[in-house]
């Protein structure tokens, strides 16, 4: 944190995150980052109490992303001093997502926490790594949860008092895919500096980034044009438009100012070290030697799947090993010690071709579900 930084957030949040293990400086930076992300991702709202609840959800997620040892999402007690059920009720009561968003958020926190727990060789972590790489469709559903994409879209609807006529499942899937490609492409080097396991380009061919980003950006504008006269959908395209790029300049959690007003510069050993020290609330997914797995959480999570995981996630995690591609490279410990590498399964050439076909056909796949406008002649 720079000595020049000055932090701003509403007075209502001043008492949050006390007695959680965070230092006063960490508390202030975390709440500020949560406020900035909420303002950037949901700039317009009509319901202040719901909006504050969303800021608090973002604060919890930020802590989970870099200091997961400070919370235990599998327990039923308070999380960082917050009653999650109360926050869920505040944000989503009376909406179609009241129950499902509780599972969505807990599932996201569960694996954010697992990433920063220091455990790299548990059955849960291996099953998670395999599930991420199984197929593009499964990947985007899990990344949707990990990145809180549909959760934030649902929050945008709720914060604008849009309590009915929400997107259906396939609509949410395509909307999440759209924002995640845009975000992951811009965050490519940030995520590599962190050794991230959850970036699309850890699995898809990175040489396609420019082409694919251009296609998805066009799809965003096609959707934005079609929904521009729908007050109940504009908050969704605004979320995608901002998170798909501009937040990397406007939020202080990113390095736009520190890197000379540039975006997309390859990571350096210094950036990796910053991530390892949690500068700007980043983290580093280093490879850590195997342990005796005395704290294996997999079976406990499976018994509580209806509370902790979105519908269908448990099936992805329980998929038999023999259904995974035998040609993709899997590791004993998922993390990395090398510069310029992601964590996760390394796909074989055939699987890479499948991912390429999937990514480069987004508009054709989405058009039957989303009202993408046609380009002018």
């Amino acid at each position: 944190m720079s000595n020049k930084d000055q932090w701003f957030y509403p007075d209502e949040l001043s008492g949050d995150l006390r007695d959680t293990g965070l230092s006063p400086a960490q508390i202030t930076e975390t709440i500020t980052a949560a406020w900035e992300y909420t303002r950037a991702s949901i700039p317009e709202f009509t319901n202040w109490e719901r909006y504050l609840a969303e800021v608090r959800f973002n604060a919890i997620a930020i802590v989970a992303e870099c200091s997961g040892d400070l919370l235990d999402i599998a327990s039923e007690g308070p999380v960082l001093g917050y009653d999650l059920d109360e926050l869920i009720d505040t944000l989503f009561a009376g909406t179609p997502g009241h129950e499902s968003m509780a599972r969505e958020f807990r599932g996201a926190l569960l694996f954010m926490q697992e990433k920063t727990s220091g455990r790299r060789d548990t059955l849960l972590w291996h099953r998670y790594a395999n599930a991420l790489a199984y197929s593009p469709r499964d990947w985007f559903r899990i990344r949707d949860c990990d990145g809180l994409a549909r959760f934030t879209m649902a929050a945008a609807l709720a914060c604008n008092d849009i309590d009915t006529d929400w997107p259906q499942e396939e609509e949410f899937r395509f909307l999440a895919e759209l924002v995640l490609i845009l975000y992951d492409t811009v965050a490519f080097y940030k995520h590599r500096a962190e050794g991230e396991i959850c970036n699309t380009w850890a699995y898809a061919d990175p040489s396609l980034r420019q082409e694919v980003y251009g296609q998805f950006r066009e799809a965003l504008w096609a959707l934005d044009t079609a929904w521009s006269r729908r007050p109940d959908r504009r908050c969704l395209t605004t979320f995608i438009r901002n998170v798909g790029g501009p937040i990397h300049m406007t939020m202080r959690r990113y390095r736009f100012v520190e890197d000379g007003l540039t975006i997309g510069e390859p990571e350096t050993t210094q950036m990796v070290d910053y991530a390892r020290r949690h500068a700007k609330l980043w983290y580093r997914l280093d490879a850590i030697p195997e342990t005796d797995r005395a704290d294996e959480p997999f079976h406990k999570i499976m018994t509580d799947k209806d509370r902790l995981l979105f519908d269908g996630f448990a099936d992805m995690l329980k998929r038999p090993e023999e259904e995974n591609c035998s040609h993709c490279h899997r590791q004993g410990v998922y993390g990395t010690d090398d510069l310029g590498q992601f964590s996760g399964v390394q796909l074989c050439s055939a699987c890479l071709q499948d991912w390429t076909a999937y990514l480069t056909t987004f508009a054709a796949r989405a058009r039957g579900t989303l009202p993408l406008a046609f380009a002018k002649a």
Side-chain angles (χ1 to χ4, degrees):
M1 181 174 69
S2 168
N3 291 330
K4 296 180 181 179
D5 280 322
Q6 299 183 67
W7 308 112
F8 306 96
Y9 51 79
D11 291 342
E12 289 94 325
L13 302 169
S14 295
D16 289 37
L17 299 180
R18 305 297 179 187
D19 302 318
T20 58
L22 296 171
S23 69
Q26 289 171 324
I27 290 172
T28 302
E29 186 177 9
T30 298
I31 296 174
T32 299
W35 173 247
E36 289 182 358
Y37 180 72
T38 308
R39 293 298 301 126
S41 60
I42 311 174
E44 296 297 329
F45 60 91
T46 57
N47 191 312
W48 179 241
E49 291 306 315
R50 283 178 169 179
Y51 203 72
L52 284 178
E54 169 64 0
V55 178
R56 289 176 167 126
F57 278 120
N58 285 326
I60 296 168
I62 288 168
V63 175
E65 285 181 325
C66 61
S67 301
D69 57 322
L70 296 181
L71 64 161
D72 179 9
I73 191 59
S75 73
E76 298 191 24
V79 176
L80 298 175
Y82 298 113
D83 183 325
L84 284 190
D85 290 330
E86 183 178 307
L87 283 181
I88 288 288
D89 289 345
T90 300
L91 183 53
F92 292 119
T95 74
H98 191 187
E99 179 182 354
S100 61
M101 290 305 130
R103 296 174 65 175
E104 196 77 17
F105 189 75
R106 287 188 168 95
L109 285 194
L110 180 67
F111 288 98
M112 290 177 188
Q113 170 191 319
E114 193 68 13
K115 288 180 195 177
T116 55
S117 69
R119 297 186 292 262
R120 297 286 182 270
D121 65 326
T122 63
L123 179 61
L124 180 64
W125 189 240
H126 274 262
R127 291 294 182 90
Y128 183 63
N130 285 338
L132 291 174
Y134 180 74
S135 72
R137 182 172 171 84
D138 279 10
W139 153 256
F140 279 110
R141 182 61 188 96
I142 301 172
R143 177 71 175 109
D144 172 6
C145 179
D146 168 78
L148 292 172
R150 77 171 61 195
F151 184 91
T152 308
M153 286 187 276
L157 293 166
C159 288
N160 283 280
D161 292 306
I162 301 167
D163 293 349
T164 60
D165 192 25
W166 279 20
Q168 299 301 305
E169 174 63 23
E170 285 303 305
E171 291 178 283
F172 266 130
R173 280 181 176 263
F174 280 118
L175 292 169
E177 186 176 338
L178 181 53
V179 70
L180 291 168
I181 277 289
L182 296 174
Y183 178 85
D184 281 359
T185 305
V186 180
F188 179 80
Y189 292 114
K190 172 195 184 284
H191 281 171
R192 272 204 336 199
E194 294 178 303
E196 180 61 81
I197 196 171
C198 281
N199 182 290
T200 302
W201 303 106
Y203 307 98
D205 181 355
S207 70
L208 296 172
R209 284 178 293 141
Q210 184 174 355
E211 173 188 351
V212 168
Y213 188 93
Q215 292 177 1
F216 275 67
R217 185 175 62 181
E218 285 190 351
L220 166 60
W221 288 117
L223 180 63
D224 194 54
T225 300
W227 276 352
S228 58
R229 297 186 183 184
R230 286 195 60 174
D232 62 337
R233 290 294 183 267
R234 284 199 297 263
C235 62
L236 303 182
T237 51
T238 296
F239 162 73
I240 296 169
R241 192 185 320 113
N242 287 343
V243 173
I247 63 168
H248 292 266
M249 293 182 286
T250 55
M251 281 188 66
R252 284 178 284 184
R253 197 178 183 191
Y254 301 99
R255 297 185 51 84
F256 179 64
V257 172
E258 292 79 359
D259 289 345
L261 305 184
T262 62
I263 297 175
E265 293 293 324
E267 72 276 28
T268 64
T269 54
Q270 184 181 48
M271 283 179 62
V272 171
D273 185 56
Y274 284 152
R276 192 172 282 125
R277 293 188 285 115
H278 304 315
K280 290 190 171 291
L281 305 173
W282 292 15
Y283 77 106
R284 172 70 179 176
L285 193 63
D286 285 314
I288 297 174
E290 295 188 19
T291 65
D292 59 8
R293 301 192 184 188
D295 54 352
E296 173 59 61
F298 180 78
H299 300 292
K300 179 181 179 182
I301 300 304
M302 289 300 105
T303 60
D304 205 9
K305 61 183 176 62
D306 292 337
R307 184 176 71 92
L308 297 174
L309 303 175
F310 65 76
D311 188 29
F313 198 179
D315 293 334
M316 298 178 191
L317 294 171
K318 293 190 295 184
R319 183 179 288 117
E321 291 285 342
E322 56 269 22
E323 293 186 16
N324 295 315
C325 176
S326 61
H327 301 291
C328 294
H329 179 66
R330 303 174 199 281
Q331 304 173 44
V333 176
Y334 285 106
T336 182
D337 291 325
D338 298 325
L339 184 67
Q341 286 191 358
F342 292 106
S343 300
V345 174
Q346 296 175 7
L347 300 190
C348 66
S349 59
C351 288
L352 278 174
Q353 290 177 5
D354 291 341
W355 281 65
T356 296
Y358 194 87
L359 295 186
T360 55
T361 57
F362 175 79
R365 289 185 290 106
R367 195 174 293 281
T369 302
L370 298 178
L372 302 183
F374 289 94
K376 301 301 182 185

